[in-house]
Amino acid sequence: MVDFKTYYEVLNLYSDYAMVCDSADWDKWPEFFVEEGTYRLQPRENYEQHLPLCLLALDSQAMIRDRVYGVKETMYHDPYYQRHIVGIPRILALETHPRGELIRAEANYVVVRTKLDCESTVFNAGYYRDEIIRTEAGLKLLSRLCVYDSEMIANSIIYPI
């Protein structure tokens, strides 16, 4: 059983993460992860069949920072806004980890994309599978796996899900 304080911190982590992604404050995105933190986007079919192929696999905070640099400085694309709608997180487990308390959690998400001259559309839907570590700076992601439902991705994924 998780205490209210821990649940509230998890809820804030999810909410703050979505707000950073929606406000395009990319320099803050890597700060949600510990140094060895991972971020992966994987189709549901591969996840359910235990196949390792991911659309995107970033294996450290340094790789996540490199992705931010790419988004801000080198990728050319039609600009768009995104809006994350994140379901209420479920705490799956509390475990002991060499770094301290490990929280396994998940939440459904939908990302709506709005191009400047178009209507808003559902861009991506799925769920997060997270491993969260308590640090001196608060809760941080040890791993975030975004399992998306559709095998078809409109265009490419530029911004974090």
Side-chain angles (χ1 to χ4, degrees), residues 18-161:
M19 189 54 64
V20 163
C21 291
D22 292 346
S23 65
D25 195 355
W26 306 127
D27 290 326
K28 290 184 180 175
W29 181 51
E31 300 306 317
F32 286 95
F33 297 85
V34 294
E35 286 294 324
E36 68 276 17
T38 64
Y39 174 81
R40 298 176 191 274
L41 289 171
Q42 186 175 36
R44 184 176 183 165
E45 180 181 29
N46 287 8
Y47 178 78
E48 288 177 349
Q49 294 181 33
H50 305 286
L51 299 173
L53 185 63
C54 293
L55 178 65
L56 184 63
L58 306 175
D59 291 330
S60 68
Q61 191 184 60
M63 288 181 77
I64 295 168
R65 287 185 200 287
D66 188 60
R67 179 69 180 190
V68 167
Y69 177 80
V71 167
K72 290 173 57 178
E73 305 294 333
T74 65
M75 293 181 182
Y76 296 99
H77 58 87
D78 288 340
Y80 62 91
Y81 301 113
Q82 63 181 17
R83 180 73 50 210
H84 286 69
I85 301 164
V86 181
I88 298 171
R90 288 183 347 135
I91 307 295
L92 304 174
L94 296 172
E95 300 175 11
T96 303
H97 185 272
R99 293 192 59 176
E101 180 184 40
L102 175 73
I103 304 164
R104 295 187 188 276
E106 69 178 13
N108 294 327
Y109 71 82
V110 172
V111 179
V112 176
R113 179 173 68 177
T114 306
K115 290 189 174 185
L116 303 180
D117 59 346
C118 298
E119 295 178 5
S120 297
T121 59
V122 173
F123 178 63
N124 194 276
Y127 61 95
Y128 299 125
R129 296 285 312 229
D130 296 322
E131 293 180 336
I132 302 164
I133 294 285
R134 183 176 303 283
T135 71
E136 290 180 9
L139 297 183
K140 300 282 184 177
L141 293 163
L142 179 61
S143 70
R144 168 152 277 186
L145 173 62
C146 307
V147 180
Y148 57 91
D149 292 332
S150 176
E151 292 180 42
M152 301 298 293
I153 299 293
N155 298 323
S156 62
I157 296 199
I158 306 295
Y159 304 141
I161 297 294

